[in-house]
Amino acid sequence: MGMGHRFLLYLLFFAVMGCDHVYKRWEKDAFAGYRWAAQTDITFHPTIKDITRKYELVIGIRHVAGMPVSNIPVTVTIVSPSGREDIKQYELQVLTPEGKALGKCAGDICDLETSVGEIVFGEPGDFGIALSHRYGRGTIVGIMEVGVILRELE
């Protein structure tokens, strides 16, 4: 087998094995100074084609190590292509009771992906998924990025 064929096989293998999601986006521009203001909604726009499948909704948070918040109350608003809104509340645990980060940390940066449940989309098309926080003190300090990941469930 030639070098070119071997390269294509490796590329195909990693393309198939490395992609476990149908949508994955991270927003970092909204977090100037590593702050998530209370009035800042972060909106994502996945396109759903297969409504016969169930999906897992994962919320990602990249934060600085030593962040002073252990839990982040989050509101998720999903807007369908026809305009129907579905609003749910979640509590994202970021730190253990001892103050240790639950995510994977490298140096001063920690990445946490939290599955918040299953979603069944009732219609195909372009959806809006907006995240906002309900943290009692307003601005959350130490947030670098927030992301949404949708994975197909078996």
Side-chain angles (χ1 to χ4, degrees):
M1 184 181 305
M3 234 3 207
H5 288 106
R6 194 171 296 150
F7 174 75
L8 286 174
L9 283 175
Y10 283 126
L11 184 63
L12 179 63
F13 173 77
F14 286 114
V16 170
M17 297 307 289
C19 184
D20 69 339
H21 57 272
V22 294
Y23 182 84
K24 183 175 187 175
R25 297 285 185 277
W26 290 81
E27 170 59 44
K28 64 181 176 182
D29 295 337
F31 304 103
Y34 302 149
R35 298 173 182 275
W36 188 1
Q39 273 59 35
T40 304
D41 288 356
I42 310 302
T43 304
F44 301 88
H45 300 282
T47 299
I48 302 301
K49 296 177 183 171
D50 187 354
I51 61 170
T52 65
R53 306 290 304 229
K54 290 182 182 177
Y55 297 86
E56 174 187 31
L57 174 61
V58 177
I59 298 174
I61 295 179
R62 175 170 281 176
H63 63 89
V64 297
M67 187 173 79
V69 176
S70 61
N71 294 312
I72 301 174
V74 174
T75 299
V76 177
T77 304
I78 299 175
V79 181
S80 73
S82 63
R84 184 177 155 261
E85 281 191 8
D86 184 22
I87 301 172
K88 295 193 175 172
Q89 313 283 332
Y90 301 103
E91 190 79 22
L92 304 180
Q93 187 172 355
V94 181
L95 305 175
T96 66
E98 296 78 32
K100 184 176 183 237
L102 289 171
K104 296 176 184 172
C105 297
D108 291 340
I109 299 173
C110 299
D111 290 327
L112 176 67
E113 292 182 0
T114 304
S115 175
V116 295
E118 289 183 9
I119 297 178
V120 176
F121 294 99
E123 60 185 286
D126 297 329
F127 282 76
I129 299 178
L131 307 179
S132 59
H133 75 77
R134 304 176 322 280
Y135 183 62
R137 297 184 194 146
T139 299
I140 299 175
V141 177
I143 302 290
M144 301 170 74
E145 298 180 39
V146 170
V148 163
I149 302 161
L150 290 174
R151 295 185 179 121
E152 275 189 1
L153 295 172
E154 298 286 321

